[in-house]
Amino acid sequence: MRRNYRNRVWASVTSRDNALLADLQRVLGDRVRADSAERALLRRDASVFEGGDAGPTCLCETTEEVQQVVRIALAHGRAVVPRGAGTGLAGGAIPLGAPVVISLSRMNRIVDVDTESRIAWVEPGVVNLDLTKHLTPLGYHFAPDPSSQQVCTIGGNVGNNSGGPHCLAYGVTNAHILAIEVVLADGEIVTLGGLDAEPSGYDLRGVFVGGEGMLGITTKVAVRITPNPPAVRTLLLSFDTPRDAAATVSAVIAAGIVPAAMEVMDQRITIAVENYVNVGYPRDAGAVLLAEVDGLPDGVEIDAQRISDIGRAHGATDVRQAQSDEERMLLWKGRKTAFGAVAQIAPNYYLHDTVVPRSKLADTLEEVYRIADEHDLAVVNVFHAGDGNLHPLLLFNGQEPGIYDRVHAAGAKIVEASLAAGGVLSGEHGIGVEKQPYMRQMFSDDDLDHQERLRHAFDPACRSNPGKVIPVGHSCADIQSLRATPEGVWG
Amino acid sequence: MNEFAELVGSEGPVTVVGGKTRWHVGGAVHPDAREVRAPSGVVSYDPAEMTVTVRAGTTTAELTNVLAEAGQRCALPERGGTVGGSIAVGEHHLEVLGRGWLTTSVLQVTYVSAEGKIVRGGGPTVKNVSGFDLPRLIVGSLGTLGLLGEVILRTNPIPPKSQWLESHDADPFQVTSQVLRPSAVLWNGSSTRVLLEGHDPDVASSHRALSTIGSWTEVDGGFELPPYRWSLTPADLKQCTGDFIASIAVGTVWRNEPQPPRPLSQSVIDISTRLKTNFDPTGRLNPGRSVF
């Protein structure tokens, strides 16, 4: 059924695309891709969502090219969708209604690094970790470090206001963006924010970060670069239960310590990681807490000791402190490869991303296990505990008939439980199409109305990445921008 | 909030009044505008969550005291006035390098719209990307898009040790290369004051590191600040002359006269104008005030 639907859409898109393609090719030559393989690839991102429908893909190399492509798309009545590495987990990059896809992966230059002012100008296609590697010899790094940092791009980080383990102390992407060059949906090029302390006017830069590509297309970014701390201590605390680990996290914060990172992994994922990369995690612990403190040497020693003491007071069965940089990197390698390790347990996973108050972490975790049991699904938990940011991974075999309905139902219950605990829909992955249906559970019609007014100030005709974030049915203009109404995003 | 919404209503020009400590910012409000006050009081505070829910009419002094009793503080300035007023003008604390920027500290806003409706943006947790970032829009918007009634703010622990130092011979622009995370570096053209914070031994070692670029004596606090905030790039601070207090590595400068309007691109003006029109179609919120 779904295939028939797609074939129908493909046929209509192909016959109506010729004039559009010709105009795009006049600007980009062979850097316009419209073959079926390319379009099939770009229908999806790293999420479990299907239902995307890509128009021609434009591999832009300059801001002016992005501008020209946006204007051509506009002239042909087509929406545009920016595309980075496609690592998003909420379906934010999935093209809906056959828009022109603007790939920014070739705009990957680090334009300028100014260590005196602690600013770097970069293009949106720069890979997050590549920027930090470039800065390392200079003694600096880019603080936001999503788990996908080996692949994900700065433009995507801006779009999603991405987080990462070290955002506990350093803040998420928004705290590290000073200025953004943007091509608006009408083709105008504008710089939002600036390098001065408080740029004049409304904080358009701050609003743009996390706009999920619906406020315009990022073409250049001024990021704040952070000096590398002279001392770092990384601790691995073992517990009998995730509840003890969560209680330790709350107690550390309550004691006035703000570590650089506090990550919790439950037993199942710890064993999977250990099997996968063999970094020395304990297989017998019910949960482990990876805690890191950084700063000046004396204070770091004091805080590491206090975290160790607090952990033991809350039932830690073992506390191990990395004795070398190599050991520290190994401990982090385990955490950062966790999502890859789940392939040993099941071929597919669906990663949720809600946030709850820290004091509710343990109760919500137990609720997550109960919900997974109730839906006969395996679940593992690996998450940014310091921020209260849960990451339950529901594990399944996508070939099993009807499995997506069960996964979807369990996901909905997890979202409900998180909101009931005083939490929010997403901590760092965004709303995209994934959380769109839940937006009404967190926001009133009046709240959503104002979010839409904000969006319309940047993009009155809803031509940039339409059909995301704001619930379907709330935004009429968005629906008009979608050439083909998506069948539904669940595959 | 309901009472505040009724007070604001949906018709006629209206302006919200806090402590009037920064009443000059953004120009004079139209004399016909009806004055309203936002509700006050700390609604809830759990230090272990590092967040506080507070009504906009609460004085920053009261909030500072409540947080200090639990060993915490926040990014709001402690220069008088109210929570709502400080957020409306978007003023961050003098010690922004240590406390964080106000813009990233406002987690949730609840405001009354031009239509008299209660609107909420952001979320209660320290990390949240659910929907578009209305809190960022409200900070510094001078009450021109909505009248703030209540906010949730991020809080931070007060460090075990805080020490202000002054030097008459150190180059202020070398301080951040000597000290990892100073909480403030202020310069008035002839002397430099630095706030060191953290564990006792860290403060002591930072003090020693500073001694390599000048001689330092302990002082009670920063400088007295002139009334007007200017915004420059950190690099441009080197060109400052006359009477001023500059926040090194930040770019804020306090002076006795307001900063001349800074040029803005037409596209920024267009987006901003649409924002104002979309949020306040009849222009009834703080008429006369402009963020430019």
Side-chain angles (χ1 to χ4, degrees):
Chain A
M1 184 65 190
R2 195 162 61 234
R3 184 171 295 164
N4 287 341
Y5 161 84
R6 285 228 174 95
N7 286 343
R8 182 165 53 78
V9 174
W10 282 125
S12 70
V13 168
T14 307
S15 62
R16 290 164 61 180
D17 273 357
N18 291 339
L20 170 65
L21 272 177
D23 284 350
L24 292 172
Q25 280 162 346
R26 258 192 290 279
V27 176
L28 296 177
D30 64 358
R31 286 184 283 120
V32 184
R33 303 283 160 78
D35 57 276
S36 57
E38 186 83 22
R39 281 177 144 167
L41 189 68
L42 292 173
R43 278 211 296 266
R44 297 193 57 169
D45 58 11
S47 69
V48 298
F49 300 97
E50 292 187 1
D53 183 9
T57 300
C58 298
L59 306 175
C60 293
E61 293 181 353
T62 65
T63 302
E64 289 69 30
E65 285 182 357
V66 174
Q67 179 183 46
Q68 285 175 286
V69 168
V70 167
R71 285 186 168 155
I72 290 168
L74 193 65
H76 287 266
R78 297 286 278 269
V80 291
V81 172
R83 177 95 180 184
T87 55
L89 291 161
I94 287 179
L96 298 178
V100 174
V101 178
I102 299 180
S103 169
L104 299 155
S105 57
R106 292 192 178 197
M107 291 179 66
N108 60 357
R109 284 157 289 221
I110 295 170
V111 180
D112 182 49
V113 177
D114 175 357
T115 52
E116 194 182 335
S117 296
R118 297 183 175 176
I119 293 162
W121 277 99
V122 303
E123 291 185 335
V126 170
V127 169
N128 176 297
L129 190 59
D130 287 353
L131 176 57
T132 283
K133 281 180 178 166
H134 183 86
L135 296 171
T136 301
L138 306 171
Y140 291 83
H141 67 286
F142 180 56
D145 60 341
S147 296
S148 56
Q149 72 178 139
Q150 296 185 34
V151 192
C152 69
T153 60
I154 302 294
N157 296 165
V158 169
N160 273 356
N161 193 13
S162 301
H166 289 85
C167 292
L168 175 56
Y170 289 93
V172 295
T173 299
N174 216 336
H176 304 275
I177 303 298
L178 293 164
I180 314 168
E181 180 189 80
V182 172
V183 175
L184 296 170
D186 63 3
E188 285 297 308
I189 298 170
V190 57
T191 298
L192 308 176
L195 305 185
D196 57 325
E198 298 162 40
S200 188
Y202 297 120
D203 185 8
L204 303 181
R205 154 199 62 178
V207 166
F208 186 88
V209 178
E212 303 206 24
M214 297 174 74
L215 307 180
I217 297 174
T218 304
T219 50
K220 202 161 68 170
V221 190
V223 304
R224 208 188 288 282
I225 60 175
T226 304
N228 295 338
V232 184
R233 285 285 173 277
T234 306
L235 302 157
L236 186 72
L237 297 89
S238 305
F239 297 90
D240 286 335
T241 65
R243 177 171 282 276
D244 290 344
T248 299
V249 167
S250 285
V252 167
I253 297 288
I257 306 169
V258 184
M262 279 201 286
E263 302 284 305
V264 167
M265 287 177 275
D266 69 12
Q267 183 167 28
R268 199 160 189 189
I269 188 66
T270 306
I271 291 172
V273 165
E274 196 50 27
N275 289 342
Y276 186 48
V277 283
N278 191 22
V279 294
Y281 286 171
R283 291 168 188 273
D284 55 349
V288 296
L289 166 63
L290 189 60
E292 187 162 280
V293 284
D294 67 18
L296 295 174
D298 293 325
V300 160
E301 289 303 334
I302 292 170
D303 283 341
Q305 187 57 50
R306 289 174 73 203
I307 291 172
S308 173
D309 293 344
I310 291 168
R312 289 194 190 280
H314 287 81
T317 52
D318 184 53
V319 180
R320 170 180 153 198
Q321 190 173 143
Q323 299 301 315
S324 64
D325 272 354
E326 290 71 31
E327 190 179 354
R328 201 172 73 73
M329 297 315 289
L330 262 186
L331 292 179
W332 275 111
K333 184 180 175 186
R335 166 62 186 87
K336 295 216 168 185
T337 52
F339 297 160
V342 298
Q344 301 162 61
I345 306 174
N348 299 88
Y349 68 79
Y350 178 21
L351 170 58
H352 265 277
D353 170 49
T354 61
V355 187
V356 296
R358 289 183 199 92
S359 57
K360 301 287 175 58
L361 262 178
D363 288 345
T364 313
L365 262 182
E366 282 175 9
E367 185 64 10
V368 166
Y369 288 118
R370 198 194 59 73
I371 290 167
D373 270 354
E374 191 178 278
H375 292 80
D376 197 20
L377 290 166
V379 65
V380 296
N381 281 285
V382 43
F383 57 99
H384 310 309
D387 290 318
N389 191 180
L390 289 168
H391 277 354
L393 287 95
L394 297 168
L395 310 179
F396 58 97
N397 180 353
Q399 302 297 319
E400 195 184 321
I403 185 71
Y404 279 96
D405 290 339
R406 235 160 63 219
V407 171
H408 186 36
K413 292 278 186 197
I414 289 172
V415 170
E416 259 175 47
S418 301
L419 291 179
V424 300
L425 295 172
S426 176
E428 55 183 17
H429 296 174
I431 300 300
V433 296
E434 180 203 19
K435 297 279 174 58
Q436 205 177 14
Y438 304 116
M439 285 287 276
R440 290 183 198 284
Q441 291 182 32
M442 182 168 164
F443 296 109
S444 71
D445 279 352
D446 290 331
D447 301 342
L448 292 172
D449 177 47
H450 271 223
Q451 291 191 29
E452 198 175 342
R453 292 184 199 201
L454 186 164
R455 196 274 177 102
H456 287 172
F458 283 82
D459 179 9
C462 299
R463 290 286 172 189
S464 191
N465 202 10
K468 313 284 169 61
V469 181
I470 305 286
V472 177
H474 198 92
S475 172
C476 297
D478 259 14
I479 290 169
Q480 285 162 12
S481 278
L482 301 173
R483 277 183 43 165
T485 307
E487 184 189 43
V489 288
W490 274 90
Chain B
M1 274 307 294
N2 285 330
E3 279 176 31
F4 184 47
E6 277 176 32
L7 195 61
V8 173
S10 58
E11 284 176 17
V14 61
T15 183
V16 66
V17 181
K20 286 201 175 180
T21 52
R22 282 90 158 166
W23 199 241
H24 57 273
V25 179
V29 174
H30 195 280
D32 289 348
R34 184 166 50 90
E35 289 193 353
V36 295
R37 285 185 179 275
S40 64
V42 173
V43 179
S44 65
Y45 174 41
D46 180 356
E49 293 299 336
M50 292 207 301
T51 60
V52 60
T53 305
V54 59
R55 297 194 184 103
T58 312
T59 63
T60 50
E62 182 188 341
L63 178 62
T64 300
N65 288 337
V66 169
L67 299 181
E69 279 173 22
Q72 293 192 339
R73 60 187 189 180
C74 70
L76 284 173
E78 294 167 11
R79 298 210 295 138
T82 62
V83 170
S86 302
I87 292 172
V89 299
E91 181 176 333
H92 49 74
H93 198 282
L94 182 64
E95 301 157 13
V96 58
L97 295 175
R99 293 171 179 244
W101 295 79
L102 180 62
T103 43
T104 51
S105 297
V106 179
L107 303 171
Q108 186 182 76
V109 290
T110 309
Y111 57 89
V112 178
S113 74
E115 291 89 357
K117 291 178 172 171
I118 297 171
V119 176
R120 183 167 285 179
T125 54
V126 291
K127 199 173 176 188
N128 172 36
V129 293
S130 310
F132 298 126
D133 201 339
L134 291 175
R136 288 293 291 244
L137 192 59
I138 293 299
V139 176
S141 67
L142 297 174
T144 58
L145 302 176
L147 302 187
L148 194 61
E150 192 175 298
V151 286
I152 299 181
L153 297 170
R154 181 194 295 272
T155 62
N156 273 301
I158 296 172
K161 167 101 175 168
S162 295
Q163 185 178 71
W164 278 98
L165 298 171
E166 184 177 49
S167 172
H168 300 291
D169 57 2
D171 175 356
F173 295 93
Q174 280 192 34
V175 169
T176 52
S177 61
Q178 298 299 316
V179 179
L180 179 65
R181 294 166 188 155
S183 288
V185 184
L186 304 180
W187 178 53
N188 66 3
S190 57
S191 58
T192 303
R193 291 193 181 185
V194 176
L195 176 61
L196 301 175
E197 294 189 310
H199 288 295
D200 285 15
D202 285 350
V203 170
S205 71
S206 294
H207 190 164
R208 285 194 298 277
L210 280 179
S211 301
T212 62
I213 59 164
S215 52
W216 299 83
T217 52
E218 285 189 38
V219 287
D220 287 340
F223 297 108
E224 182 109 348
L225 299 177
Y228 292 97
R229 263 159 58 233
W230 291 40
S231 173
L232 303 180
T233 69
D236 284 343
L237 296 180
K238 288 178 180 167
Q239 272 80 53
C240 281
T241 54
D243 288 338
F244 69 91
I245 305 293
S247 181
I248 305 297
V250 175
T252 307
V253 180
W254 285 267
R255 287 186 177 278
N256 287 311
E257 61 285 345
Q259 184 172 22
R262 289 163 279 168
L264 285 166
S265 73
Q266 189 57 45
S267 293
V268 165
I269 292 170
D270 289 346
I271 297 170
S272 306
T273 305
R274 284 196 296 266
L275 269 173
K276 174 66 178 169
T277 309
N278 291 355
F279 278 72
D280 182 17
T282 62
R284 66 181 291 256
L285 303 179
N286 280 300
R289 283 262 152 79
S290 168
V291 294
F292 299 125

